Amino acid sequence: MGEFNSLGALALHLAAQEAALLASLHNGLEKCGKRLVSTMKAEIGHYQPGAGPFAAWADLAESTEEHKAKMGYPADAPLEATGQMRDEFTHEVHGLECIAGSKDPKMVWHEFGTPKMPSRAVVGPAALTQKEFIRRTIGKATVAGLIGGQAIHASLGYDGET
């Protein structure tokens, strides 16, 4: 770390370390948010297996398939009609928090189900399947931010997508 000739110099060093850590964590959270959104978007239109407490997706009702056919939407493609629902997945990073999900209010009904519609969870399973990626990415970002910022990123393999 080195020697400091004053408390002011130490304070500046510590402030710079904190800034480097926060910047590194922000970058890590951005990577996690992008990965989650990509995973969520990929789930739309394909039946999903169960993941943790989230049940496998049930087959679409015959009445739903008939309605989709009349509208010219793809057959046997759950949660996919126009592609609009897929386009509504996004993420935001605020401080040390990443929020990933859908801006489409109907997604809540699909995620949790209703009395007349089975759950076809997207957000929860995406987080579960990406848990190890998130853990590795945030871990690398923390270490990189604590021990040297950008110069250390390459040696940790943190210079691109993890």
Side-chain angles (χ1 to χ4, degrees):
M1 175 160 63
E3 292 185 28
F4 302 98
N5 58 9
S6 71
L7 287 176
L10 175 60
L12 285 173
H13 171 77
L14 293 175
Q17 287 298 109
E18 180 182 16
L21 175 59
L22 292 175
S24 188
L25 287 171
H26 179 86
N27 290 338
L29 288 168
E30 277 292 333
K31 288 179 188 297
C32 292
K34 288 177 184 175
R35 175 66 71 95
L36 285 169
V37 167
S38 174
T39 302
M40 289 181 241
K41 286 182 175 186
E43 292 177 4
I44 300 295
H46 309 283
Y47 286 99
Q48 299 298 314
F54 303 98
W57 288 9
D59 290 341
L60 292 173
E62 196 172 306
S63 60
T64 301
E65 287 291 12
E66 289 170 3
H67 174 73
K68 288 176 72 174
K70 286 179 188 175
M71 300 298 291
Y73 299 149
D76 209 27
L79 305 186
E80 182 176 22
T82 65
Q84 180 179 351
M85 187 173 291
R86 177 184 294 116
D87 296 340
E88 292 294 319
F89 287 103
T90 187
H91 79 282
E92 299 173 0
V93 175
H94 302 283
L96 295 178
E97 178 178 73
C98 177
I99 302 165
S102 176
K103 298 224 181 223
D104 187 332
K106 295 183 300 255
M107 195 60 227
V108 172
W109 303 335
H110 295 295
E111 188 76 15
F112 300 106
T114 70
K116 295 183 178 185
M117 182 177 68
S119 168
R120 290 187 179 87
V122 176
V123 178
L128 278 177
T129 60
Q130 295 302 324
K131 181 172 69 172
E132 190 56 34
F133 173 85
I134 293 167
R135 188 182 349 240
R136 278 192 331 266
T137 302
I138 297 304
K140 288 178 181 181
T142 301
V143 171
L146 286 172
I147 63 172
Q150 297 299 321
I152 297 301
H153 281 204
S155 68
L156 291 174
Y158 191 68
D159 53 348
E161 291 299 316
T162 302

